[in-house]
Amino acid sequence: IKPTIVPSTRVLWAAALSSLTTDAAGLRVSFNVHSELVFHLSTLKNMREAYKHFSPTQSSTELLLAFIEGASPLSLDEVKALVEGTEILDVDQGLASGFSQSDAQKVYKVPPAELAIGTYEEAILNRVATTTSHRTAL
């Protein structure tokens, strides 16, 4: 996942919980739980568009690796071995320092009035939760 759009692990956890919930309820709209995670991070209705926004590019130098245990035939250590780079142990600090408001604005379209009373993290968290509740209610 492109980390510049994810402001904190709270947002990631909310999307992961939603992904696992829809999977357990048989309401998954994608091929697997990891794809579902990207879909739930996005407020978009189109999976292809969600991937465009959240997938790293060839020139990306940072990657947010979200691993849901039991949803992959590989172990976490096996997945980590596939990635070249340095692991950041304080993920929230890494996300906060790499978060890009302009990148997030392209996806979440947070109006200035909302930012006057809250943070980007709160706005994104509300969007993830609201979108998820609408998707699971259908």
Side-chain angles (χ1 to χ4, degrees):
I1 299 170
K2 190 186 322 179
T4 58
I5 301 175
V6 182
S8 70
T9 54
R10 284 177 36 176
V11 171
L12 187 64
W13 280 108
L17 178 61
S18 299
S19 302
L20 291 168
T21 302
T22 54
D23 183 56
L27 298 171
R28 194 174 71 215
V29 296
S30 64
F31 296 112
N32 58 49
V33 176
H34 292 98
S35 296
E36 198 74 10
L37 173 64
V38 172
F39 192 56
H40 284 278
L41 275 173
S42 169
T43 56
L44 304 168
K45 295 178 182 169
N46 183 309
M47 181 61 90
R48 185 179 306 234
E49 289 299 314
Y51 273 122
K52 277 185 191 176
H53 288 290
F54 287 90
S55 295
T57 63
Q58 292 287 6
S59 62
S60 295
T61 58
E62 296 176 334
L63 173 70
L64 174 60
L65 178 63
F67 182 80
I68 300 173
E69 193 168 334
S72 170
L74 301 175
S75 70
L76 178 57
D77 288 334
E78 290 171 315
V79 172
K80 283 181 180 181
L82 298 172
V83 179
E84 276 186 41
T86 305
E87 181 177 358
I88 296 175
L89 299 178
D90 187 347
V91 179
D92 272 313
Q93 172 62 31
L95 288 174
S97 66
F99 179 69
S100 167
Q101 291 183 1
S102 63
D103 286 355
Q105 187 63 21
K106 291 174 190 171
V107 177
Y108 296 109
K109 300 177 182 19
V110 181
E114 188 175 355
L115 290 173
I117 59 170
T119 65
Y120 259 103
E121 179 190 28
E122 293 166 336
I124 293 169
L125 196 54
N126 286 332
R127 281 161 178 70
V128 168
T130 303
T131 303
T132 298
S133 66
H134 287 304
R135 288 178 181 154
T136 55
L138 297 176

